[in-house]
Amino acid sequence: MTIESDIKKVVDDIRCDYEIGVFTLQTIFDRHIESIESLKNSGVEYLTFCRLLDLEITEKHFQNLIFRAKNKKSKSNIADKKKDIFFDTENASVSTWKTEFPDVSERLVSEILDCGFTLEDSIAWCDVAGNRSSRTLRHKFNEMKLSKARKAKYSTGE
């Protein structure tokens, strides 16, 4: 396919969605932003789309629609990445952590792993405390993180 045929397809798809009248203009742009961005990366200017679509909107309105669609896509990608987090440390996923700590959050697991601690370390901390809850885990993790930071500070001679 050529760029011209790609542009025509995207423009026709957007016009079709617009003429059906089921979707809001923002929703239409949200649905087609990846195609628009792909063509933009191939050298097609947004202004070209604005003129070809002839949707009776100002250029500023068109730019706002693109901007909001790109932001939604970006936020959606970030949320998807957070959902699909799997950690390399012993191939432990959040669901594995939840078998040991049912109320643990992905954020806490991520922080623990980022500091170099493992699931086994976390279990040991909580077993010593006699309580396997995310609250105890957070408390013990903060203690261990502080202890680790102190050791690092004194070992570097600061």
Side-chain angles (χ1 to χ4, degrees), residues 31-133:
R31 291 176 54 169
H32 296 283
I33 192 63
E34 288 181 19
S35 301
I36 293 170
E37 285 299 296
S38 174
L39 289 168
K40 171 76 170 139
N41 292 336
S42 298
V44 180
E45 294 184 13
Y46 290 134
L47 191 55
T48 302
F49 281 108
C50 185
R51 290 184 182 138
L52 290 173
L53 287 170
D54 193 29
L55 297 175
E56 300 176 6
I57 59 174
T58 65
E59 288 178 23
K60 181 67 175 167
H61 186 188
F62 181 84
Q63 290 171 345
N64 286 336
L65 291 166
I66 294 288
F67 177 78
R68 286 192 301 265
K70 285 170 61 174
N71 279 345
K72 283 182 187 175
K73 179 182 170 227
S74 173
K75 288 178 183 175
S76 171
N77 287 344
I78 291 169
D80 289 346
K81 285 179 185 173
K82 284 183 179 177
K83 256 189 238 176
D84 296 334
I85 292 177
F86 279 88
F87 304 98
D88 291 336
T89 305
E90 72 200 33
N91 295 324
S93 67
V94 173
S95 59
T96 304
W97 281 72
K98 285 193 178 283
T99 60
E100 299 296 332
F101 302 96
D103 57 343
V104 72
S105 69
E106 289 179 17
R107 180 178 174 187
L108 178 55
V109 172
S110 178
E111 288 177 30
I112 291 170
L113 294 174
D114 287 346
C115 284
F117 298 113
T118 65
L119 176 60
E120 285 77 21
D121 295 331
S122 302
I123 292 169
W125 301 334
C126 291
D127 285 349
V128 168
N131 182 2
R132 280 198 194 173
S133 69

